[in-house]
mmCIF file of all heavy atoms in Angstrom:
data_model
loop_
_atom_site.group_PDB
_atom_site.id
_atom_site.type_symbol
_atom_site.label_atom_id
_atom_site.label_comp_id
_atom_site.label_asym_id
_atom_site.label_seq_id
_atom_site.Cartn_x
_atom_site.Cartn_y
_atom_site.Cartn_z
ATOM 1 N N ALA A 243 -16.150 5.361 -15.002
ATOM 2 C CA ALA A 243 -17.451 4.691 -14.747
ATOM 3 C C ALA A 243 -18.591 5.633 -15.211
ATOM 4 O O ALA A 243 -19.556 5.178 -15.821
ATOM 5 C CB ALA A 243 -17.592 4.367 -13.277
ATOM 6 N N GLU A 244 -18.450 6.944 -14.937
ATOM 7 C CA GLU A 244 -19.495 7.886 -15.387
ATOM 8 C C GLU A 244 -19.574 7.900 -16.863
ATOM 9 O O GLU A 244 -20.650 7.891 -17.468
ATOM 10 C CB GLU A 244 -19.192 9.263 -14.850
ATOM 11 C CG GLU A 244 -20.213 10.292 -15.135
ATOM 12 C CD GLU A 244 -21.553 10.011 -14.418
ATOM 13 O OE1 GLU A 244 -21.528 9.600 -13.196
ATOM 14 O OE2 GLU A 244 -22.617 10.146 -15.047
ATOM 15 N N GLU A 245 -18.398 7.909 -17.543
ATOM 16 C CA GLU A 245 -18.342 7.949 -19.046
ATOM 17 C C GLU A 245 -19.004 6.670 -19.596
ATOM 18 O O GLU A 245 -19.742 6.738 -20.591
ATOM 19 C CB GLU A 245 -16.946 8.136 -19.546
ATOM 20 C CG GLU A 245 -16.368 9.454 -19.231
ATOM 21 C CD GLU A 245 -14.896 9.533 -19.603
ATOM 22 O OE1 GLU A 245 -14.398 8.629 -20.309
ATOM 23 O OE2 GLU A 245 -14.231 10.480 -19.111
ATOM 24 N N LEU A 246 -18.681 5.507 -19.035
ATOM 25 C CA LEU A 246 -19.140 4.240 -19.554
ATOM 26 C C LEU A 246 -20.614 3.954 -19.226
ATOM 27 O O LEU A 246 -21.339 3.403 -20.053
ATOM 28 C CB LEU A 246 -18.263 3.103 -19.002
ATOM 29 C CG LEU A 246 -16.848 3.040 -19.497
ATOM 30 C CD1 LEU A 246 -16.054 1.937 -18.775
ATOM 31 C CD2 LEU A 246 -16.819 2.768 -21.016
ATOM 32 N N PHE A 247 -21.048 4.279 -18.016
ATOM 33 C CA PHE A 247 -22.355 3.852 -17.590
ATOM 34 C C PHE A 247 -23.374 4.936 -17.416
ATOM 35 O O PHE A 247 -24.525 4.683 -17.168
ATOM 36 C CB PHE A 247 -22.208 3.011 -16.262
ATOM 37 C CG PHE A 247 -21.314 1.877 -16.386
ATOM 38 C CD1 PHE A 247 -20.052 1.881 -15.763
ATOM 39 C CD2 PHE A 247 -21.655 0.824 -17.222
ATOM 40 C CE1 PHE A 247 -19.208 0.793 -15.876
ATOM 41 C CE2 PHE A 247 -20.798 -0.307 -17.347
ATOM 42 C CZ PHE A 247 -19.542 -0.298 -16.704
ATOM 43 N N GLY A 248 -22.880 6.207 -17.472
ATOM 44 C CA GLY A 248 -23.803 7.310 -17.379
ATOM 45 C C GLY A 248 -24.602 7.441 -18.715
ATOM 46 O O GLY A 248 -24.116 7.089 -19.778
ATOM 47 N N LYS A 249 -25.808 7.914 -18.590
ATOM 48 C CA LYS A 249 -26.656 8.059 -19.824
ATOM 49 C C LYS A 249 -26.712 9.553 -20.143
ATOM 50 O O LYS A 249 -27.238 10.291 -19.377
ATOM 51 C CB LYS A 249 -28.025 7.479 -19.586
ATOM 52 C CG LYS A 249 -27.935 5.959 -19.304
ATOM 53 C CD LYS A 249 -29.315 5.315 -19.254
ATOM 54 C CE LYS A 249 -29.318 3.868 -19.142
ATOM 55 N NZ LYS A 249 -28.290 3.159 -18.430
ATOM 56 N N PRO A 250 -26.255 9.887 -21.358
ATOM 57 C CA PRO A 250 -26.283 11.310 -21.743
ATOM 58 C C PRO A 250 -27.732 11.833 -21.710
ATOM 59 O O PRO A 250 -28.674 11.160 -22.169
ATOM 60 C CB PRO A 250 -25.744 11.288 -23.194
ATOM 61 C CG PRO A 250 -24.991 10.028 -23.330
ATOM 62 C CD PRO A 250 -25.666 9.053 -22.350
ATOM 63 N N GLY A 251 -27.884 12.999 -21.150
ATOM 64 C CA GLY A 251 -29.233 13.633 -21.071
ATOM 65 C C GLY A 251 -30.111 13.127 -19.895
ATOM 66 O O GLY A 251 -31.129 13.750 -19.588
ATOM 67 N N LYS A 252 -29.684 12.101 -19.221
ATOM 68 C CA LYS A 252 -30.448 11.610 -18.080
ATOM 69 C C LYS A 252 -30.225 12.525 -16.894
ATOM 70 O O LYS A 252 -29.126 12.950 -16.624
ATOM 71 C CB LYS A 252 -30.026 10.193 -17.666
ATOM 72 C CG LYS A 252 -30.835 9.661 -16.485
ATOM 73 C CD LYS A 252 -30.507 8.277 -16.110
ATOM 74 C CE LYS A 252 -31.315 7.912 -14.893
ATOM 75 N NZ LYS A 252 -31.117 6.593 -14.420
ATOM 76 N N THR A 253 -31.308 12.818 -16.150
ATOM 77 C CA THR A 253 -31.171 13.620 -14.931
ATOM 78 C C THR A 253 -31.002 12.646 -13.761
ATOM 79 O O THR A 253 -31.839 11.783 -13.573
ATOM 80 C CB THR A 253 -32.442 14.482 -14.736
ATOM 81 O OG1 THR A 253 -32.677 15.271 -15.899
ATOM 82 C CG2 THR A 253 -32.331 15.348 -13.517
ATOM 83 N N TYR A 254 -29.934 12.890 -13.043
ATOM 84 C CA TYR A 254 -29.646 12.001 -11.893
ATOM 85 C C TYR A 254 -30.052 12.713 -10.614
ATOM 86 O O TYR A 254 -29.930 13.911 -10.462
ATOM 87 C CB TYR A 254 -28.170 11.638 -11.848
ATOM 88 C CG TYR A 254 -27.723 10.732 -12.938
ATOM 89 C CD1 TYR A 254 -27.091 11.183 -14.083
ATOM 90 C CD2 TYR A 254 -27.960 9.342 -12.815
ATOM 91 C CE1 TYR A 254 -26.697 10.318 -15.068
ATOM 92 C CE2 TYR A 254 -27.551 8.511 -13.839
ATOM 93 C CZ TYR A 254 -26.925 9.022 -14.928
ATOM 94 O OH TYR A 254 -26.508 8.140 -15.912
ATOM 95 N N PRO A 266 -23.537 7.062 -11.692
ATOM 96 C CA PRO A 266 -22.484 5.994 -11.641
ATOM 97 C C PRO A 266 -21.238 6.445 -10.926
ATOM 98 O O PRO A 266 -20.666 5.689 -10.097
ATOM 99 C CB PRO A 266 -22.271 5.674 -13.062
ATOM 100 C CG PRO A 266 -23.498 6.063 -13.768
ATOM 101 C CD PRO A 266 -24.060 7.250 -13.038
#
Side-chain angles (χ1 to χ4, degrees):
E244 185 67 40
E245 292 172 14
L246 291 172
F247 303 111
K249 297 190 175 31
K252 179 178 178 182
T253 304
Y254 290 100

